[in-house]
């Protein structure tokens, strides 16, 4: 299976989104999946981590509209035969999803509850904050909601 992650990181955005995507990507790599990252912005630290983990990444132009972002993303998805893309990005919305979902399965990683989405899969571990108010998701969407779906890196044993 070929998997992509559409995520950005910068000094203003932070590293949290890219960090959890790298954690998830490592798990897919263990299952022999091909993994790529697609980003408008990646600060050097994230680039170094991706290189160290041997994860290929593609940079697209920073000033693209959602429509042009989806076009550029689709070119990369097609070239790499992607079966599933994870979106972990607040600035890309429903119009972006509609273009992408025509060509591949879509998983949305979200921190809110009121975002409209047509994703096939929805991951949100903040549900205890919002209750069960995920009505803006489609009926076919498989939901992974709750703390048990927090994307966390496993701790290594630390010797004292």
């Amino acid at each position: 299976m070929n998997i992509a992650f559409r995520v950005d990181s910068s000094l203003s955005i932070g590293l949290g989104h890219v960090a959890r995507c790298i954690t998830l990507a490592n798990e897919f790599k263990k299952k022999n999946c091909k993994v790529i990252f697609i980003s408008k912005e990646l600060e050097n630290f994230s680039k170094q981590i991706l290189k160290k983990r041997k994860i290929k990444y593609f940079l697209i132009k920073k000033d693209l509209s959602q429509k042009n972002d989806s076009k550029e993303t689709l070119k990369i998805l097609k070239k790499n035969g992607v079966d599933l893309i994870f979106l972990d990005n607040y600035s890309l919305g429903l119009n972006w999803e509609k273009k992408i979902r025509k060509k591949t399965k879509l998983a949305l990683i979200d921190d809110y509850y009121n975002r409209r989405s047509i994703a096939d899969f929805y991951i949100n571990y903040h549900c205890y904050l919002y209750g069960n108010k995920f009505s803006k998701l489609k009926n076919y969407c498989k939901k992974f909601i709750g703390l048990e779906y927090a994307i966390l890196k496993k701790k290594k044993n630390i010797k004292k």
Side-chain angles (χ1 to χ4, degrees):
M1 180 176 245
N2 297 330
I3 298 174
F5 291 85
R6 178 62 187 87
V7 61
D8 297 323
S9 74
S10 68
L11 293 177
S12 62
I13 296 170
L15 296 172
H17 299 278
V18 77
R20 67 183 172 193
C21 288
I22 289 171
T23 298
L24 194 53
N26 286 333
E27 293 303 311
F28 281 111
K29 284 187 69 168
K30 288 177 187 176
K31 299 191 181 308
N32 295 317
C33 294
K34 179 184 169 192
V35 175
I36 63 170
F37 274 56
I38 304 168
S39 300
K40 276 187 181 180
E41 294 184 73
L42 274 181
E43 44 42 69
N44 287 332
F45 183 72
S46 295
K47 289 177 187 176
Q48 290 171 5
I49 292 171
L50 291 170
K51 285 179 185 177
K52 182 179 176 183
R53 304 252 189 307
K54 297 180 180 170
I55 297 173
K56 192 174 184 179
Y57 64 88
F58 297 86
L59 296 177
I60 59 178
K61 293 179 184 175
K62 290 182 185 182
D63 58 350
L64 295 176
S65 65
Q66 280 195 52
K67 182 179 179 181
N68 289 331
D69 187 301
S70 66
K71 285 181 182 179
E72 291 300 310
T73 299
L74 282 170
K75 286 179 192 175
I76 297 166
L77 297 179
K78 184 177 180 182
K79 183 179 177 182
N80 289 276
V82 170
D83 304 297
L84 171 65
I85 184 168
F86 285 84
L87 174 62
D88 192 348
N89 191 308
Y90 300 141
S91 65
L92 299 173
L94 196 56
N95 289 330
W96 186 92
E97 288 184 19
K98 287 177 182 176
K99 302 283 186 197
I100 299 300
R101 195 169 173 277
K102 287 179 184 177
K103 301 294 181 182
T104 191
K105 295 281 186 186
L106 173 65
L108 176 64
I109 302 172
D110 197 18
D111 293 316
Y112 301 108
Y113 74 92
N114 60 350
R115 188 166 164 182
R116 291 186 70 184
S117 177
I118 59 167
D120 299 285
F121 307 97
Y122 180 81
I123 304 166
N124 187 324
Y125 49 88
H126 293 282
C127 76
Y128 64 93
L129 296 173
Y130 310 118
N132 194 14
K133 298 179 183 178
F134 297 91
S135 61
K136 294 184 178 181
L137 301 174
K138 298 295 184 182
N139 289 338
Y140 58 76
C141 181
K142 180 144 176 73
K143 298 164 190 76
F144 300 92
I145 298 171
L147 289 174
E148 63 269 30
Y149 299 108
I151 302 167
L152 302 171
K153 184 178 176 183
K154 292 181 182 176
K155 287 186 178 182
K156 294 180 182 180
N157 290 335
I158 299 172
K159 295 181 182 179
K160 295 182 180 181

